[in-house]
Amino acid sequence: MASLEEERRIDKQNFRDHLATVNEEGKRNWIYPKKPSGRHYKARNIVAVLLLAFFFSGPFITINGNPLLLLNIIERKFVIFGVAFWPQDLHLLLFGMLTFILFVVLFTVVFGRLWCGWACPQTIFMEMVFRRIEYWIEGDAAAQIRLNKQDWNFDKIRKKVSKHAVFFGIAFLISNMFLAYIIGKDQLFEIITDPPSEHIAGLSSMIIFSGVFYGVFAFMREQVCHFVCPYGRMQSVMLDNNSINVMYDYVRGETRASVKDRYQLENRKATLEDLGFSQNEEFGDCIDCYQCVKVCPMGIDIRNGTQLECVHCTACIDACDSVMDKIDKPRGLIRYSSENAIREGKQKVLTPRVAGYSGILLILLTTFITLLTLRPDTETTILREPGTLYQELPGERYSNIYNIKVLNKTFEEIPLEIRLEQPEGEIVSLGQVESVGAQNSTEGRFMVQLSEDKLTGSQTELTFGIYSGDEKLETVTSGFLGPSNSEQ
């Protein structure tokens, strides 16, 4: 039979060979985290309140009468912080997305998964909304375990039905808010106030969204972070020994010994050998109370090191600090730190890796801001009408017919005037565009007449100026079809 020391060594070697949420039979191991408390939890509550307030008020916040955020995939209209983007601005969205992704990578390299614990919608809704409702209705972790093990009676049915009814109600509210970000608050109000038969598609979307959110927060929970979220999977290639994470200070904490073992040794009621320790072993500050494990919503033991399941919610920090206060030990046995800071006592933030990511991020950010600044308020396309040839006019003049399409990316109507800048010629309106509405596009036709001496062959390049009053919005080029030199 293996000694206690051998068993402890085996445990340390095999501590990452299974998930906390899966038992030996491969079935779901339901996590019952103890309700956290402490300074970090209070700070997270403040952050959560601010983020939830922003989320629920976002669809109703406007900038100059325009939505703060609108991601209308159906109509391909996007408004981000009051700036409208269209499919023609795909390159801007691409640069913006690349910049954001690289920012996330850089942030993770330096600060670990701080986003997951403090700002991720999954964590905010799960830990700060649904979990707190569960504590309110069913009680803390121990009470929830007792409730689930007891036979079905009126009290159990009442609590379970109440909890899931509230869960679905909140999920329905969340789905409405997400839908408002997609279709806009005005269309959402129409779906809510009009008869359901007039908005079958919208109502179906609400029900589907509500079912998804209810399933995620009532049943899937931490499994989303384990198996669904791509960010959690990527962190293993982004973190290094200088990344700041929620860390257990094993230098200070090991070797672990419970309060009972320490008491027996101090009062000479047992020896180190009796307790399974070696003669030269020295105890650290960790008393093996498992409070850090009991409060973890992912079910992991932070003392086993950085793990993919950890979302850095800081519940273990608060639990450990509370225990350290009780045994007159300094706080920070579990804290924000890095592997190198704990092992070598050195914290290095600016590494070659961080510098490289920062340089690339600066280039992308500069490119994105430059493209965004130079983006015109309108986007005009002028093409010669397909399937037509040039027309010969009296006085050695020739004409081509053109189609024009103008897209207005602003929130105000823009009056337009098209001027032929090069070469000298005449524009004849055939239903020409005179204005374009806010966030809209319009089309028209016009004719261009050139004298023979302005032609440069069968193809002559035309330069048009698109004006709004005296302000030039953009320059557009097109081709003019004329007779070849042999025909002239």
Side-chain angles (χ1 to χ4, degrees):
M1 184 175 179
S3 65
L4 289 175
E5 185 177 352
E6 290 175 341
E7 289 180 0
R8 288 168 60 217
R9 186 176 67 250
I10 292 173
D11 288 342
K12 289 181 180 179
Q13 291 174 348
N14 299 328
F15 64 83
R16 288 195 181 108
D17 64 350
H18 67 281
L19 283 172
T21 56
V22 179
N23 60 25
E24 295 179 355
E25 300 175 354
K27 297 180 180 179
R28 172 79 176 275
N29 185 24
W30 197 265
I31 303 298
Y32 297 94
K34 183 180 178 182
K35 185 177 181 179
S37 62
R39 56 195 176 99
H40 289 90
Y41 187 65
K42 291 179 181 178
R44 287 176 59 215
N45 280 331
I46 295 173
V47 174
V49 168
L50 294 176
L51 291 176
L52 289 171
F54 175 80
F55 171 76
F56 285 107
S57 62
F60 310 100
I61 298 175
T62 58
I63 298 177
N64 297 324
N66 308 306
L68 175 70
L69 188 64
L70 179 67
L71 305 175
N72 194 333
I73 303 174
I74 301 173
E75 298 180 3
R76 295 178 295 177
K77 290 182 179 181
F78 306 92
V79 181
I80 302 176
F81 296 110
V83 179
F85 293 88
W86 292 75
Q88 291 81 357
D89 297 316
L90 181 62
H91 62 290
L92 286 176
L93 295 175
L94 178 62
F95 270 101
M97 185 62 66
L98 287 175
T99 304
F100 176 75
I101 291 174
L102 190 60
F103 171 78
V104 170
V105 171
L106 176 61
F107 191 86
T108 304
V109 168
V110 179
F111 297 106
R113 294 180 70 177
L114 191 67
W115 158 267
C116 293
W118 290 77
C120 175
Q122 167 70 17
T123 304
I124 294 295
F125 284 121
M126 184 68 250
E127 301 303 324
M128 299 301 176
V129 179
F130 288 87
R131 189 87 72 185
R132 299 186 73 166
I133 291 172
E134 194 168 56
Y135 290 140
W136 172 54
I137 296 177
E138 295 187 354
D140 208 342
Q144 293 177 28
I145 295 173
R146 289 194 301 268
L147 181 66
N148 288 337
K149 288 183 177 180
Q150 76 179 43
D151 295 332
W152 285 95
N153 54 27
F154 175 77
D155 184 60
K156 183 174 182 177
I157 294 174
R158 176 181 61 83
K159 289 183 178 179
K160 290 295 183 181
V161 170
S162 300
K163 182 183 78 170
H164 286 279
V166 174
F167 276 11
F168 189 82
I170 296 177
F172 183 75
L173 177 61
I174 294 173
S175 70
N176 276 268
M177 290 298 101
F178 270 105
L179 197 60
Y181 282 106
I182 296 175
I183 64 176
K185 60 182 179 62
D186 295 333
Q187 292 190 39
L188 178 64
F189 284 143
E190 288 182 7
I191 295 175
I192 295 174
T193 56
D194 290 349
S197 58
E198 297 182 8
H199 300 280
I200 298 298
L203 184 60
S204 301
S205 300
M206 282 188 187
I207 295 174
I208 293 173
F209 275 128
S210 301
V212 169
F213 288 122
Y214 170 71
V216 165
F217 297 114
F219 301 105
M220 289 193 67
R221 300 192 168 197
E222 74 282 343
Q223 304 287 22
V224 173
C225 302
H226 286 176
F227 305 113
V228 179
C229 177
Y231 177 57
R233 304 304 94 196
M234 290 192 300
Q235 72 153 332
S236 60
V237 299
M238 291 188 282
L239 300 181
D240 58 22
N241 288 340
N242 290 303
S243 299
I244 299 174
N245 298 295
V246 173
M247 302 282 292
Y248 164 66
D249 189 345
Y250 55 85
V251 175
R252 172 187 155 189
E254 300 295 323
T255 296
R256 310 170 196 169
S258 67
V259 173
K260 180 181 178 182
D261 291 343
R262 295 168 192 260
Y263 175 81
Q264 290 181 341
L265 287 172
E266 290 172 359
N267 291 274
R268 301 185 182 278
K269 294 183 178 181
T271 66
L272 287 170
E273 292 183 352
D274 294 335
L275 300 176
F277 298 98
S278 62
Q279 287 293 342
N280 59 350
E281 199 126 29
E282 294 183 3
F283 293 148
D285 287 353
C286 180
I287 62 173
D288 220 12
C289 62
Y290 282 93
Q291 293 304 307
C292 58
V293 180
K294 291 179 180 178
V295 298
C296 180
M298 312 305 285
I300 65 172
D301 188 341
I302 193 62
R303 298 173 299 175
N304 289 336
T306 302
Q307 298 156 70
L308 287 175
E309 297 93 326
C310 180
V311 294
H312 294 189
C313 67
T314 70
C316 56
I317 298 180
D318 286 332
C320 187
D321 285 349
S322 175
V323 173
M324 292 296 104
D325 290 341
K326 293 176 183 177
I327 63 173
D328 295 326
K329 297 287 184 180
R331 291 183 173 188
L333 182 59
I334 301 176
R335 64 182 185 272
Y336 278 116
S337 187
S338 67
E339 176 66 23
N340 283 342
I342 290 176
R343 185 174 63 234
E344 303 173 1
K346 299 178 180 178
Q347 179 63 58
K348 188 177 181 181
V349 176
L350 185 59
T351 63
R353 190 182 185 192
V354 172
Y357 283 140
S358 300
I360 298 174
L361 177 62
L362 182 61
I363 293 173
L364 286 175
L365 188 60
T366 303
T367 304
F368 176 69
I369 294 175
T370 302
L371 291 175
L372 190 61
T373 304
L374 297 177
R375 188 188 73 153
D377 291 337
T378 60
E379 186 164 320
T380 305
T381 304
I382 299 176
L383 297 174
R384 196 170 54 83
E385 190 167 277
T388 61
L389 298 174
Y390 63 88
Q391 293 83 40
E392 188 172 356
L393 303 175
E396 296 182 342
R397 295 173 62 82
Y398 298 90
S399 68
N400 281 192
I401 297 176
Y402 293 86
N403 293 324
I404 179 173
K405 182 176 181 180
V406 183
L407 174 65
N408 181 4
K409 300 177 182 179
T410 70
F411 297 99
E412 299 177 356
E413 182 177 0
I414 298 178
L416 295 176
E417 180 185 357
I418 306 169
R419 301 176 187 175
L420 180 60
E421 297 185 336
Q422 288 184 356
E424 183 180 349
E426 181 182 357
I427 293 179
V428 179
S429 175
L430 301 175
Q432 186 177 318
V433 176
E434 295 182 353
S435 66
V436 56
Q439 281 192 288
N440 210 334
S441 61
T442 187
E443 298 180 9
R445 297 169 73 244
F446 63 89
M447 177 188 295
V448 174
Q449 298 179 359
L450 297 180
S451 59
E452 185 177 338
D453 61 333
K454 301 300 181 182
L455 302 180
T456 58
S458 59
Q459 283 284 349
T460 301
E461 183 176 286
L462 304 181
T463 301
F464 297 96
I466 310 300
Y467 288 81
S468 178
D470 295 330
E471 179 186 1
K472 185 176 182 179
L473 301 178
E474 57 181 317
T475 300
V476 184
T477 61
S478 188
F480 186 93
L481 183 63
S484 61
N485 292 333
S486 60
E487 294 176 322
Q488 294 182 22

